[in-house]
Amino acid sequence: FVENNAKTEVTSLVESADAMGVRLVLLGSLSLLAAIWFAFRFSQGISRPLVQASRMLRSLEDGDFGSRLNLNRGDEIGDMANALDGFAETLEAAMTAVVCAISDRDQARLNLDQELAQKNAILAGFDGYIYVCSPDLRIEFMNKKLIERTGRDATGEYCYKALHDLDEVCSWCPN
């Protein structure tokens, strides 16, 4: 009887140990699956914003200055995303200012070109001779009629030499 009891107890202990082993294997497997799931989620929490940041930088490179990450995170990745959004905002404002300045400059240039064309038309229609000299008596401008008279455009030459073939300042010159 004692021997039967001992066998029963041993069998019961072996069965308990087997059941415990199965439970430990199941618990270990579940723990491993949970760890893999958490690692996957954690890695996505890092890689997804980095992929978004990379796309945003490519958009900026392509000239799309309106893209933003808009990540509301309280960690280093959120700090990086906020910095990139701020950079994109500043870059967009700077590019807008440059485009406006170029547009303003182009409009001013167009206005100057129109004004110059009007003045050139007036000068071309004038039947007399017109020239402009610098303070050191070099010709800065000659109208077409005077160029025809002298036979050349004497811009840059001394007026007394180009117009009167003199080697010194004209005696009647007011300058």
Side-chain angles (χ1 to χ4, degrees):
F1 178 75
V2 171
E3 199 175 289
N4 256 351
N5 261 349
K7 274 186 176 183
T8 314
E9 271 187 50
V10 169
T11 303
S12 175
L13 285 174
V14 168
E15 288 174 0
S16 290
D18 284 344
M20 183 69 82
V22 169
R23 285 188 196 126
L24 284 174
V25 168
L26 284 175
L27 184 61
S29 297
L30 288 175
S31 296
L32 181 62
L33 287 174
I36 290 172
W37 183 80
F38 281 116
F40 177 74
R41 295 290 293 161
F42 181 74
S43 69
Q44 277 192 327
I46 293 173
S47 65
R48 185 176 290 139
L50 292 177
V51 168
Q52 288 173 315
S54 177
R55 283 187 192 135
M56 178 186 162
L57 289 171
R58 281 194 199 102
S59 293
L60 290 173
E61 181 183 29
D62 293 340
D64 176 12
F65 302 110
S67 64
R68 302 291 184 273
L69 293 174
N70 296 320
L71 296 178
N72 296 319
R73 295 174 56 139
D75 58 3
E76 292 82 2
I77 292 175
D79 291 344
M80 178 199 68
N82 291 337
L84 283 173
D85 285 347
F87 170 72
E89 193 76 30
T90 302
L91 187 59
E92 182 178 29
M95 289 305 296
T96 300
V98 166
V99 167
C100 288
I102 289 172
S103 177
D104 291 347
R105 187 206 62 195
D106 288 348
Q107 185 60 48
R109 177 65 185 242
L110 180 63
N111 292 344
L112 283 173
D113 287 347
Q114 288 173 346
E115 190 176 321
L116 182 61
Q118 289 173 342
K119 289 185 170 128
N120 282 338
I122 291 170
L123 292 174
F126 184 71
D127 198 30
Y129 304 119
I130 300 173
Y131 68 98
V132 176
C133 285
S134 66
D136 69 344
L137 302 178
R138 290 189 183 271
I139 297 175
E140 293 181 339
F141 170 80
M142 297 174 70
N143 71 344
K144 187 174 182 178
K145 187 92 167 162
L146 186 55
I147 291 172
E148 289 170 0
R149 179 188 159 250
T150 59
R152 71 186 187 287
D153 184 352
T155 301
E157 297 179 31
Y158 288 109
C159 61
Y160 51 85
K161 183 70 176 171
L163 301 177
H164 304 291
D165 200 28
L166 297 175
D167 291 327
E168 56 186 49
V169 178
C170 304
S171 59
W172 63 87
C173 183
N175 293 328

